Amino acid sequence: MELRHLRYFVAVGEEQHYGRAANRLRVAQPALSRQIQDLEEELGFKLFERLPRGVKLSAAGKLFLQDARRILQEVNEAATRARRVARGLSGTLRVGFTENASWRGVVPDSFRRFRERQPDAELQLQPAASLKQLEAIRSGRLDGGFVNFMPKSDPELNQLLVAIQHLELAVPKRHALTKLKKLRLRDLTNVPFVWFPRWATPAFYDRLMRECYRGGLKSPRVVQEGLNEATILSLVSTGLGVGWVLGTAHWRCPENVVILPVLDLNVSLRLAFAWRKDNASMLLANFIAEVKRSPDVRALNKG
């Protein structure tokens, strides 16, 4: 039994006439009649009672008509759903992001534009550290993610540079450092720090320590470690010390904390969107297209 048999049967059952059903289906009436006969032989019972003019459904045929309509409708709906997924109009997209990049800029803007353009798609957002995201992308648990510390080349992953984030200093609002017109690294000698642990990002930790040493902050006085930027901001707000944060922290800074630039510290982080090279999802392709539409992303990747 094929779907064609069901379509032919439904047409005859609804028209109760072979000629009208053949016209509706745009097939020859003898061919239609043969298909119905083949179906009845396969089922082992009559679907129609023949009349002088037309046909009428048998008792079994009436029941079979209900099920045949339902099956055809489900097949059509399944094809429509699959077609929308194939075109990237629906389905599920799983995207990771670093929490400190989600407050302003390309990351939240791309989420908003994607939701506006893809209202039928499910966007699953998962905040996670960059290294955790990369593991999830490689294993297929995430379709893509906004990550820092992305290697310049990777045999498995593609990447798109979306932002360059500069490191600045979070300071309690009434701290003496806020009175300096030009803050430099040497001014931070003996100032208590809330610092991120080395194990979280060893290469970046070492890079920052080298830059501090060159600028005269040879041995930072670390009084407390904070695993992420939210923790560092919270601890700085209590007056425990000062801490390094990205410039985007301006947009979610506690009221009693200020973010200050340090003139001789030129340390930045590249934020990239990463995805597996073999991920053929049209939904992912559409999301990447939305990210690329950002003027900031176009400016970073021109040429």
Side-chain angles (χ1 to χ4, degrees):
M1 185 186 305
E2 300 178 10
L3 290 177
R4 179 183 70 252
H5 292 111
L6 296 182
R7 286 195 294 268
Y8 287 1
F9 164 67
V10 169
V12 177
E14 290 178 347
E15 298 292 342
Q16 297 194 50
H17 193 280
Y18 275 93
R20 290 194 296 270
N23 290 335
R24 170 174 156 181
L25 295 167
R26 297 183 180 179
V27 298
Q29 183 173 332
L32 175 60
S33 180
R34 284 196 301 272
Q35 293 293 327
I36 297 299
Q37 289 175 6
D38 290 344
L39 180 59
E40 288 178 325
E41 288 178 5
E42 183 173 350
L43 292 171
F45 56 83
K46 291 292 184 182
L47 295 168
F48 298 102
E49 296 177 11
R50 273 63 178 177
L51 303 174
R53 293 185 178 181
V55 294
K56 72 173 184 178
L57 287 162
S58 66
K62 290 179 181 179
L63 181 61
F64 191 64
L65 179 61
Q66 296 175 10
D67 289 334
R69 283 171 170 160
R70 175 181 53 79
I71 291 169
L72 291 175
Q73 181 178 354
E74 289 178 352
V75 169
N76 288 335
E77 290 173 353
T80 298
R81 288 193 298 270
R83 191 176 299 114
R84 291 183 65 79
V85 169
R87 294 176 179 173
L89 300 176
S90 64
T92 300
L93 184 69
R94 302 156 301 168
V95 176
F97 62 96
T98 54
E99 187 266 348
N100 55 16
S102 66
W103 289 87
R104 184 179 174 86
V106 173
V107 176
D109 287 350
S110 63
F111 294 156
R112 173 183 53 78
R113 290 197 306 272
F114 182 79
R115 295 302 309 130
E116 290 172 351
R117 293 175 180 265
Q118 311 279 166
D120 295 332
E122 180 185 3
L123 181 60
Q124 293 184 357
L125 301 177
Q126 299 182 26
S130 295
L131 297 181
K132 293 291 185 182
Q133 285 189 63
L134 290 173
E135 291 174 5
I137 294 168
R138 293 183 197 281
S139 68
R141 301 193 309 276
L142 283 177
D143 293 300
F146 292 95
V147 299
N148 300 120
F149 316 114
M150 181 70 188
K152 291 186 178 180
S153 62
D154 189 287
E156 291 184 78
L157 304 181
N158 279 325
Q159 61 177 294
L160 173 68
L161 180 64
V162 300
I164 296 177
Q165 304 165 308
H166 296 280
L167 211 60
E168 298 188 18
L169 190 69
V171 179
K173 187 166 284 186
R174 293 180 178 83
H175 198 284
L177 292 174
T178 61
K179 298 179 174 61
L180 298 178
K181 292 184 179 180
K182 294 182 178 181
L183 180 61
R184 299 181 182 276
L185 285 166
R186 64 173 179 264
D187 299 322
L188 304 179
T189 302
N190 294 324
V191 173
F193 263 94
V194 180
W195 207 287
F196 57 91
R198 184 180 185 278
W199 62 261
T201 52
F204 184 69
Y205 182 99
D206 293 344
R207 174 186 166 200
L208 178 58
M209 283 293 190
R210 286 194 300 270
E211 291 300 317
C212 288
Y213 187 89
R214 289 183 186 135
L217 180 59
K218 297 185 177 181
S219 182
R221 182 186 163 202
V222 179
V223 299
Q224 180 64 50
E225 288 188 339
L227 180 57
N228 53 44
E229 191 173 88
T231 302
I232 292 173
L233 285 170
S234 176
L235 293 175
V236 170
S237 73
T238 68
L240 188 62
V242 301
W244 299 115
V245 295
L246 295 176
T248 51
H250 283 279
W251 305 106
R252 51 87 168 264
C253 190
E255 291 184 359
N256 58 341
V257 174
V258 294
I259 310 297
L260 303 176
V262 178
L263 292 183
D264 54 347
L265 179 70
N266 186 21
V267 174
S268 60
L269 280 178
R270 291 164 53 92
L271 181 67
F273 185 74
W275 68 97
R276 281 184 65 97
K277 292 179 179 180
D278 60 359
N279 191 329
S281 165
M282 280 301 299
L283 208 54
L284 174 63
N286 289 347
F287 183 82
I288 294 169
E290 289 301 329
V291 176
K292 288 181 177 179
R293 286 191 180 96
S294 166
D296 292 338
V297 174
R298 290 202 302 268
L300 284 172
N301 293 276
K302 63 182 179 181

